[in-house]
C-alpha cells in the first residue's frame, strides 16, 4: 500500500495523521456556522523535475483562483452547490487541467467531456457524458439536474438538451485543443501501435477536476468534470459523470474522485467512502484512506479522491504520486499541494 499525503501539522500544533486528513477541532462556544472547501486538479504521475517552476506556479495560481471562486460563494452565505460549480468552472476554463479547455484528446483527435454534480441534503444530481461543444460541462450537468426530469444525458442527446438552454455557452470542439494534450495523444498512439495488446493502462489520466463544499447551512455538494482518458475510444465514459463512482454527496459526506475511472466505477468509490462514514461510522479520513489506498489498488486501479464531511473534516488521499489539490478548512486556513509532502 502506498502512503498518501501527510498534511502540514499547522493547525493547533497537532501532528497530522498519516491518512491525509485532519479532524476539525471542536469549537468551544456556541455553534458558529462553518464552511469548508476542497478541490482537486487531478491525480497522476508527475515527476518533480518534470514540472517546471513556471508550470507549477501557474497550476497553483489556478487552484488558488478556483478556491477563491468557491469560497466567495460560501463566505457570502451561498449554497455548497453554487460553490462547487464556481470552483470547478475556473479549472474547466484553465488549459492546464483535463476538463473543458485543455481536455485530453480521444482516439479520433477530438474531445468528449464528462461531468456530474450532486447536492447532498436533497440527493439531487445531474450528469453529462460525451459532450463535445459545451464550454462548461459542469454547468450543463447542473442544468440537467435543475431543468430536466433526468439525472444523466449523453452524447447527441445531451447536446440537444444544451440547445434548449440559452445560458449554456457553446464552442467548437477544437476550442478545447491544446498542444500539450496533442503531444500526449501522439505519445499514447505511438505506444499503442508498438504493442499488441492495447488495453488501458495506469498513468494515462491527468488533471480531472473536482470540488466538494460544506456551506453555512450545513449542506454538502460535490462536482467533478473531465475530458476522460487520452486516446479513449468507442464512446468510453469514465467515472466522473457516474453518480456514486466519481461524485457523491449526502447530508454528512461528499466526494469527488480522480484516477483510472474503470476501477472507480467498479468499486463505486465515491459512494463507498460516504457509505463507510454513514453505516460503519468510520472517520472520513479512515474511510477515504481505505477505499483509495487499499480497495482501488487491490483491484488494480490507481488515483485519488477528495472528501469532506459535515463537521468540515477534509481528506485527500491518493496513490498515484501526485494529486493537484487545495483546501480551505472551517478555521479559514488554506493550502495548495501537488506532491506527497
Ligand atoms: N477519472 C477520469 C476518467 O477515468 C480520469 C481522471 O481522473 O483524470 O475518466
Amino acid at each position: 500500500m502506498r502512503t498518501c499525503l501527510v498534511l502540514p501539522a499547522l493547525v493547533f500544533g497537532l501532528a497530522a495523521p498519516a491518512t491525509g486528513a485532519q479532524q476539525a477541532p471542536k469549537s468551544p462556544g456556541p455553534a458558529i456556522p462553518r464552511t469548508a472547501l476542497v478541490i482537486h486538479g487531478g491525480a497522476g504521475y508527475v515527476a518533480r523535475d518534470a514540472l517546471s517552476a513556471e508550470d507549477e506556479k501557474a497550476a497553483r495560481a489556478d487552484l488558488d483562483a478556483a478556491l477563491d471562486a468557491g469560497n466567495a460563494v460560501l463566505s457570502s452565505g451561498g449554497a455548497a452547490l453554487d460553490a462547487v460549480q464556481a470552483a470547478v468552472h475556473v479549472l474547466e476554463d484553465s488549459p492546464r487541467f483535463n476538463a473543458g479547455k485543455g481536455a485530453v484528446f480521444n482516439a479520433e483527435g477530438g474531445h468528449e467531456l464528462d461531468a456530474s454534480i450532486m447536492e447532498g441534503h436533497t440527493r439531487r444530481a445531474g450528469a453529462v457524458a460525451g459532450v463535445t461543444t459545451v464550454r462548461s460541462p459542469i454547468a450543463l450537468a447542473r442544468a440537467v439536474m435543475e431543468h430536466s426530469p433526468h439525472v444523466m444525458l449523453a452524447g447527441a442527446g445531451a447536446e440537444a438538451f444544451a440547445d434548449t438552454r440559452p445560458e449554456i455557452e457553446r464552442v467548437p470542439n477544437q476550442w478545447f485543443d491544446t498542444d500539450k494534450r496533442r503531444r500526449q495523444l501522439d505519445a499514447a498512439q505511438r505506444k499503442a501501435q508498438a504493442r499488441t495488446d492495447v488495453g488501458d493502462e495506469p498513468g494515462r489520466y491527468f488533471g480531472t477536476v473536482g470540488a466538494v463544499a460544506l456551506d453555512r447551512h450545513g449542506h454538502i455538494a460535490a462536482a467533478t468534470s473531465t475530458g476522460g482518458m487520452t486516446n479513449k475510444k468507442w464512446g468510453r465514459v469514465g467515472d466522473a459523470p457516474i453518480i456514486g463512482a466519481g461524485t457523491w454527496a449526502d447530508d454528512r459526506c461528499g466526494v469527488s474522485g480522480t484516477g483510472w475511472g474503470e476501477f472507480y466505477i467498479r468499486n463505486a468509490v465515491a459512494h463507498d467512502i460516504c457509505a463507510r462514514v454513514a453505516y460503519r461510522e468510520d472517520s472520513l479520513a479512515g474511510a477515504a484512506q481505505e477505499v483509495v489506498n487499499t480497495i482501488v489498488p487491490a483491484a488494480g486501479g490507481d488515483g485519488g479522491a477528495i472528501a469532506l464531511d459535515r463537521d468540515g473534516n477534509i481528506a485527500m488521499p491518493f496513490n498515484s504520486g501526485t494529486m493537484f489539490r487545495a483546501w480551505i478548512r472551517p478555521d479559514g486556513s488554506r493550502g495548495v499541494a501537488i506532491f506527497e509532502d
Side-chain angles (χ1 to χ4, degrees):
M1 182 177 75
R2 293 186 192 132
T3 53
C4 61
L5 164 74
V6 178
L7 292 172
L10 296 178
V11 183
F12 299 97
L14 296 175
T19 52
Q22 287 177 312
Q23 300 296 309
K26 300 250 179 291
S27 57
I32 304 161
R34 300 180 310 165
T35 64
L37 176 64
V38 58
I39 64 175
H40 70 80
Y45 299 87
V46 186
R48 221 172 256 272
D49 52 8
L51 189 66
S52 71
E54 198 186 329
D55 284 347
E56 180 172 346
K57 196 172 161 202
R60 285 175 176 273
D62 286 342
L63 290 166
D64 256 327
L67 268 189
D68 287 341
N71 195 44
V73 175
L74 296 174
S75 57
S76 61
L81 192 65
D82 292 324
V84 293
Q85 183 179 345
V88 163
H89 183 54
V90 169
L91 299 176
E92 285 180 332
D93 255 14
S94 163
R96 275 170 283 279
F97 298 93
N98 172 20
K101 177 78 185 172
V104 296
F105 285 91
N106 63 18
E108 290 78 46
H111 308 274
E112 295 161 304
L113 311 175
D114 303 334
S116 66
I117 190 163
M118 185 166 191
E119 184 178 58
H121 68 295
T122 59
R123 297 278 180 112
R124 293 191 303 162
V128 292
V131 296
T132 54
T133 68
V134 174
R135 177 170 176 164
S136 173
I138 202 65
L140 187 61
R142 172 100 182 245
V144 171
M145 180 179 107
E146 291 182 329
H147 303 294
S148 90
H150 308 300
V151 168
M152 183 184 230
L153 299 178
E159 297 286 332
F161 172 71
D163 293 343
T164 72
R165 302 301 315 168
E167 78 278 15
I168 298 297
E169 189 181 344
R170 313 297 281 279
V171 290
N173 194 248
Q174 299 86 325
W175 183 84
F176 301 108
D177 290 4
T178 54
D179 291 343
K180 178 176 137 192
R181 298 301 184 195
R182 175 83 63 191
R183 288 194 297 275
Q184 284 175 353
L185 175 66
D186 292 346
Q189 293 190 330
R190 274 198 306 274
K191 207 166 163 190
Q193 262 169 11
R195 289 162 25 143
T196 44
D197 89 276
V198 290
D200 275 330
E201 60 185 43
R204 282 194 16 217
Y205 56 83
F206 284 108
T208 287
V209 309
V212 190
L214 169 70
D215 68 27
R216 212 178 261 189
H217 312 285
H219 297 151
I220 295 171
T224 311
S225 183
T226 188
M229 288 172 90
T230 300
N231 203 25
K232 66 185 182 181
K233 338 178 209 194
W234 305 312
R236 181 263 185 190
V237 174
D239 59 311
I242 311 284
I243 296 299
T247 302
W248 179 259
D250 55 38
D251 55 5
R252 70 183 87 197
C253 171
V255 173
S256 171
T258 168
W260 192 348
E262 280 67 11
F263 292 88
Y264 279 59
I265 295 172
R266 290 179 191 142
N267 291 285
V269 162
H271 181 263
D272 192 20
I273 292 172
C274 290
R276 285 161 189 268
V277 172
Y279 307 150
R280 296 205 320 197
E281 299 186 6
D282 283 7
S283 68
L284 183 81
Q289 163 77 3
E290 192 171 347
V291 174
V292 169
N293 278 328
T294 303
I295 291 178
V296 169
D302 56 358
I306 54 170
L308 177 155
D309 70 16
R310 64 181 169 194
D311 297 321
N313 296 303
I314 287 171
M316 301 173 279
F318 57 98
N319 56 53
S320 52
T322 58
M323 184 167 76
F324 290 78
R325 59 204 186 277
W327 61 91
I328 302 182
R329 298 185 188 283
D331 65 3
S333 61
R334 61 189 278 165
V336 177
I338 299 172
F339 299 100
E340 287 193 4
D341 48 10

